[in-house]
Amino acid sequence: MGLAKRIIPCLDVKDGETVKGTNFVNLRSAGDPVALGKAYSEQGADELVFLDITASFEGRKTFTEMVTRVAQEINIPFTVGGGINELADVERLLYAGADKVSVNSAAIRHPELIDEIARRFGSQVCVVAIDARQEADGQWACYLKGGRERTERGLFEWAKEAQERGAGEILFTSMNHDGVKTGYANEALRQLADNLSIPIIASGGAGQKAHFRDAFIEGHADAALAASVFHFGEIPIPELKQYLKDEGINIRL
């Protein structure tokens, strides 16, 4: 059976509240991140991800305080990301109670950051998040700054380098699929999963229960992350997990 597949709600945090958009824009409020995180933990989520999407200095302080509150309220592993540029940022968030950190823009700019995190804290702490968009020619380009800046890095070669440098997991978000609820980027997911030896977390595109199943079966993903379908009550986590179990997927109920 292999390891159980994981369901991971993602909370984008801006100025202390959870927000959600479509294709990385048009944000709307989804409530208090600590209360939401606690509710997801109680509903059977396997892990949580909290992303500080406006990690300016002030936001950073608010966010760190929130991480401490989350750690006091929930008993499942959680990852935090946003504005992590150096080891001191990682240390601050782990000290506040996070289990893992997610690095994205800073890792593309300074890939040695991955080596440093893995050496200092262990690979299991380092999640490399990749926001990529499939272009007209079918190639996947990586983006920085919450999807605002295109880079010359390709999805597959960058994911491979991240693994080689010590990343413990890859969190791949398809910008084409983000928030549009038509399913995950399963072909790209499968290519990542089949070519790498570390877990791949699918992100971007969940709209119905079958999309999670397809990410696991067709996309070979190890975990599936979603936001709005959970935040706005469209798919209750216990119902989703029972459905996946019924579809023959190894999942913790």
Side-chain angles (χ1 to χ4, degrees):
M1 289 286 276
L3 291 174
K5 303 294 189 183
R6 291 169 288 150
I7 297 298
I8 308 177
C10 178
L11 298 89
D12 290 341
V13 180
K14 181 177 190 282
D15 305 327
E17 70 170 353
T18 313
V19 294
K20 183 61 195 132
T22 304
N23 301 124
F24 286 51
V25 292
N26 303 326
L27 301 177
R28 58 178 176 148
S29 175
D32 173 58
V34 182
L36 266 177
K38 188 177 183 189
Y40 291 145
S41 171
E42 288 166 355
Q43 287 165 26
D46 297 293
E47 294 185 22
L48 298 171
V49 171
F50 293 88
L51 297 177
D52 182 354
I53 62 169
T54 49
S56 63
F57 179 71
E58 268 312 298
R60 190 169 280 194
K61 189 167 175 300
T62 312
F63 189 71
T64 308
E65 288 162 0
M66 184 214 77
V67 170
T68 305
R69 285 170 40 229
V70 168
Q72 290 164 349
E73 293 286 345
I74 73 167
N75 56 4
I76 57 173
F78 70 100
T79 301
V80 294
I84 294 173
N85 296 303
E86 54 186 10
L87 283 182
D89 297 325
V90 179
E91 200 151 32
R92 171 173 54 82
L93 293 164
L94 293 177
Y95 185 71
D99 298 277
K100 310 178 202 179
V101 295
S102 162
V103 288
N104 188 336
S105 300
I108 288 189
R109 285 200 205 95
H110 308 289
E112 61 281 358
L113 179 63
I114 301 170
D115 306 70
E116 290 169 9
I117 296 171
R119 259 201 312 272
R120 177 80 174 274
F121 304 106
S123 285
Q124 78 287 348
V125 159
C126 185
V127 178
V128 172
I130 304 177
D131 297 330
R133 184 190 292 282
Q134 189 171 30
E135 319 234 293
D137 62 0
Q139 299 299 308
W140 287 86
C142 298
Y143 279 71
L144 300 179
K145 296 182 181 166
R148 288 187 284 276
E149 186 182 304
R150 188 185 183 280
T151 73
E152 290 308 308
R153 300 300 309 249
L155 166 64
F156 302 108
E157 49 98 6
W158 169 232
K160 190 159 180 45
E161 181 180 334
Q163 171 178 284
E164 285 164 359
R165 286 181 176 274
E169 292 183 274
I170 299 290
L171 166 53
F172 160 53
T173 301
S174 163
M175 293 171 60
N176 309 68
H177 296 72
D178 178 67
V180 294
K181 300 186 179 177
T182 52
Y184 293 94
N186 293 322
E187 278 181 38
L189 279 168
R190 186 169 60 248
Q191 200 172 327
L192 285 170
D194 292 354
N195 288 306
L196 300 181
S197 57
I198 57 176
I200 307 298
I201 304 168
S203 166
Q208 47 186 272
K209 288 177 281 198
H211 295 155
F212 291 86
R213 176 199 63 200
D214 296 345
F216 295 135
I217 292 177
E218 294 170 24
H220 299 178
D222 297 274
L225 175 145
S228 55
V229 291
F230 297 141
H231 301 340
F232 303 115
E234 294 161 38
I235 301 179
I237 292 170
E239 199 179 287
L240 170 63
K241 290 187 122 184
Q242 187 59 57
Y243 164 83
L244 292 169
K245 191 94 175 164
D246 294 344
E247 291 286 321
I249 288 159
N250 180 14
I251 198 114
R252 285 188 207 88
L253 287 183

